[in-house]
């Protein structure tokens, strides 16, 4: 298969779309493609001292007149510059806003070399931001102008088609995990640093935005710890972190809930925990939930979201209606008190996720799709 020159743009922060874009870029570079990250900072989890990987920083220029520095313009200009300088075959942008619009503009700017554009939709770019009246038209236009569109789940593809009344095909390519890294039984981070031998260890990872329903996470844990001895690890940072800390204090759980902030190697923690909580209002896929499953950790999450494509209800976790913290706590306790076989759920969590979301298979899918788009 021909080796390609690919520009990748993503949010470089610790969110799901940035992580997927970064892990994909690393895997593509390992396969011999030349990968150029174009972003406002070095992506979280990216080690650029590896063959075939490049990073091009986009600067935002400020001026007294600008209330908001026009990042989309400098991004588009950088995308055009790198496309021409390296003769990129394609620009693969993650998260539609504003990346798909910047890619469209970049293509108008190129003179001698015009790359194809692939937009990967991740979730809130469609479900929250893209459907805001002020973003709707530009998001729809930019998606339609892309040569290829992918979505991380069937759920998101359907939502996008309905919401934006699109006639274009959306290729569903799920998120993935490196099964060598995300697997049960890593010993590098010791469980006993976080919990006593008789205590269960619960975990939540997110960007602590309102859509994650952090207060539900705490409410569920509170119910759990009132029945079985337990501790909880909260990984990530975001607008609701302070709210969460206050609630933990108010409920007298300070000794039981530990906030670890953003962590680059979540697999080292995950392989030590018993249960993962993901009660989100909306979840197009749930990458953190997949990473937990891959480490052998059953997931308690929200039904009616994209999590249904990741978690098998009653097999490797339980999915309950959004906001039903009582049902979620009950499901968690059924596993923690032995009503359901926790070790069986753990084994199936790793087995099924490794089979369905192995990076080898998913990166093959991306590569094939790239060629399909390039061949028109
Ligand atoms: O909103 C977020 O949680 C972050 C967001 C992102 O783009 O960084 O996550 C979305 O993309 C992830 C990677 O594809 C998905 O696993 C998450 O489910 C999705 N988040 C939501 O839909 C809320």
């Amino acid at each position: 298969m021909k080796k390609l020159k690919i520009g990748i743009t993503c949010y470089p922060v610790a969110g799901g779309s940035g992580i997927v874009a970064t892990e994909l870029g690393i895997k593509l570079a390992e396969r011999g493609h030349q990968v150029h990250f174009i972003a406002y900072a070095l992506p979280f989890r990216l080690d650029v001292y590896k063959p075939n990987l490049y990073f091009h920083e986009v600067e935002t220029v400020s001026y007294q007149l600008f209330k908001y520095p026009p990042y989309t313009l400098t991004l588009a200009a950088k995308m055009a510059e790198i496309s021409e300088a390296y003769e990129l075959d394609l620009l693969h942008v993650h998260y539609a806003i504003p990346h798909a619009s910047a890619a469209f503009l970049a293509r108008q700017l190129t003179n001698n070399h015009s790359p194809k554009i692939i937009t990967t939709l991740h979730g809130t770019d469609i479900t929250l931001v893209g459907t805001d009246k002020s973003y709707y038209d530009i998001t729809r236009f930019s998606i339609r102008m892309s040569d290829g569109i992918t979505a991380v789940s069937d759920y998101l593809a359907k939502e996008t088609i309905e919401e934006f009344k699109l006639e274009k095909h959306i290729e569903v390519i799920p998120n993935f995990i490196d099964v060598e890294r995300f697997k049960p039984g890593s010993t590098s981070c010791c469980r006993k640093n976080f919990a006593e031998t008789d205590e269960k260890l619960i975990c939540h990872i997110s960007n602590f935005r309102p859509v994650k329903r952090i207060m539900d996470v705490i409410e569920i844990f509170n119910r759990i710890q009132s029945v079985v001895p337990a501790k909880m690890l909260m990984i990530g940072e975001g607008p609701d972190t302070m709210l969460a800390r206050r609630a933990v204090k108010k409920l007298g759980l300070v000794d039981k809930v530990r906030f670890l902030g953003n962590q680059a190697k979540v697999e080292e923690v995950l392989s030590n925990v018993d249960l993962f909580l993901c009660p989100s209002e909306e979840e197009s896929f749930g990458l953190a939930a997949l990473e937990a499953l891959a480490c052998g950790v059953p997931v308690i999450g929200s039904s009616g979201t994209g999590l249904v494509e990741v978690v098998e209800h009653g097999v490797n976790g339980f999915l309950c209606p959004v906001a039903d913290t009582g049902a979620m706590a009950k499901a968690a306790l059924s596993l923690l008190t032995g009503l359901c076989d926790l070790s069986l759920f753990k084994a199936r969590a790793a087995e099924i996720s490794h089979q369905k979301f192995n990076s080898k298979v998913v990166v093959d899918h991306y590569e094939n799709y790239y060629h399909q788009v390039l061949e028109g």
Side-chain angles (χ1 to χ4, degrees):
M1 211 180 253
K2 187 189 163 214
K3 299 299 171 210
L4 303 175
K5 294 179 182 177
I6 306 157
I8 293 185
T9 290
C10 62
Y11 283 106
V13 294
S17 60
I19 290 172
V20 171
T22 307
E23 302 281 2
L24 174 63
I26 293 170
K27 292 285 173 207
L28 290 166
E30 284 169 3
R31 291 180 179 207
H33 300 287
Q34 195 181 96
V35 180
H36 295 261
F37 281 90
I38 307 168
Y40 63 75
L42 186 70
F44 187 71
R45 289 198 193 176
L46 181 66
D47 173 4
V48 85
Y49 302 122
K50 282 189 173 163
N52 299 326
L53 277 177
Y54 299 74
F55 169 60
H56 309 279
E57 187 168 335
V58 180
E59 285 179 30
T60 42
V61 184
S62 213
Y63 180 64
Q64 294 92 317
L65 207 61
F66 302 157
K67 189 171 173 194
Y68 308 105
Y71 169 67
T72 310
L73 299 186
T74 45
L75 173 61
K78 184 62 91 181
M79 282 171 158
E81 178 201 324
I82 301 302
S83 298
E84 293 208 312
Y86 292 90
E87 300 192 334
L88 299 187
D89 295 296
L90 53 92
L91 285 170
H92 185 178
V93 299
H94 292 258
Y95 209 90
I97 301 170
H99 302 151
S101 316
F104 172 77
L105 192 51
R107 201 166 48 189
Q108 311 306 304
L109 283 172
T110 53
N111 296 313
N112 307 316
H113 190 83
S114 193
K116 297 273 185 192
I117 298 170
I118 294 180
T119 298
T120 289
L121 309 171
H122 281 273
T124 45
D125 46 353
I126 299 304
T127 51
L128 296 179
V129 192
T131 51
D132 185 291
K133 269 209 302 296
S134 48
Y135 288 115
Y136 185 91
D137 289 338
I138 186 83
T139 306
R140 182 170 188 271
F141 172 82
S142 310
I143 293 173
R144 289 180 67 234
M145 288 299 118
S146 300
D147 301 294
I149 313 164
T150 81
V152 296
S153 60
D154 271 319
Y155 169 83
L156 181 62
K158 280 189 192 120
E159 289 249 322
T160 309
I161 287 170
E162 270 168 37
E163 197 60 55
F164 290 102
K165 298 170 188 60
L166 288 182
E167 323 79 41
K168 281 187 95 154
H169 169 73
I170 298 182
E171 184 82 358
V172 175
I173 309 185
N175 290 335
F176 58 89
I177 27 105
D178 180 337
V179 298
E180 297 307 322
R181 268 172 55 205
F182 291 87
K183 59 184 179 190
S186 152
T187 48
S188 52
C189 151
C190 224
R191 183 187 166 107
K192 68 176 187 305
N193 292 343
F194 301 116
E196 302 298 326
T197 34
D198 64 330
E199 285 175 328
K200 301 294 182 193
L201 193 55
I202 317 298
C203 184
H204 171 77
I205 304 178
S206 77
N207 45 26
F208 286 61
R209 289 204 223 129
V211 74
K212 301 294 176 180
R213 298 188 68 89
I214 301 299
M215 301 308 276
D216 285 5
V217 173
I218 292 162
E219 166 70 21
I220 297 163
F221 175 72
N222 192 25
R223 288 174 187 247
I224 292 173
Q225 66 82 40
S226 68
V227 180
V228 292
K231 293 263 170 67
M232 180 161 72
L233 300 175
M234 301 280 270
I235 300 180
E237 280 291 342
D240 285 352
T241 308
M242 193 50 93
L243 209 65
R245 283 185 181 275
R246 280 202 204 121
V248 163
K249 193 164 176 221
K250 198 169 162 201
L251 291 166
L253 297 174
V254 174
D255 294 339
K256 297 190 175 178
V257 179
R258 188 146 157 202
F259 291 84
L260 297 178
N262 282 328
Q263 293 293 327
K265 294 189 173 171
V266 286
E267 63 274 25
E268 293 181 3
V269 178
L270 281 172
S271 53
N272 288 281
V273 311
D274 295 302
L275 218 54
F276 186 85
L277 303 181
C278 187
S280 310
E281 178 92 39
E282 187 62 72
E283 204 64 74
S284 66
F285 183 92
L287 179 66
L290 170 61
E291 292 182 338
L293 290 170
C295 291
V297 183
V299 172
I300 306 294
S302 315
S303 53
T305 68
L307 277 174
V308 298
E309 292 171 44
V310 184
V311 180
E312 293 189 21
H313 180 76
V315 176
N316 55 12
F318 290 103
L319 298 177
C320 312
V322 174
D324 195 343
T325 50
M328 290 188 197
K330 196 170 161 201
L333 283 166
S334 73
L335 286 165
L336 299 175
T337 57
L339 206 62
C340 295
D341 186 346
L342 179 60
S343 54
L344 181 62
F345 272 64
K346 283 186 169 192
R348 291 191 299 217
E351 194 186 309
I352 298 170
S353 58
H354 282 213
Q355 214 172 59
K356 281 173 75 178
F357 303 107
N358 190 323
S359 59
K360 285 198 186 75
V361 179
V362 179
V363 178
D364 279 353
H365 193 163
Y366 271 114
E367 266 187 324
N368 291 332
Y369 187 63
Y370 287 168
H371 285 283
Q372 200 180 311
V373 170
L374 285 168
E375 283 149 25

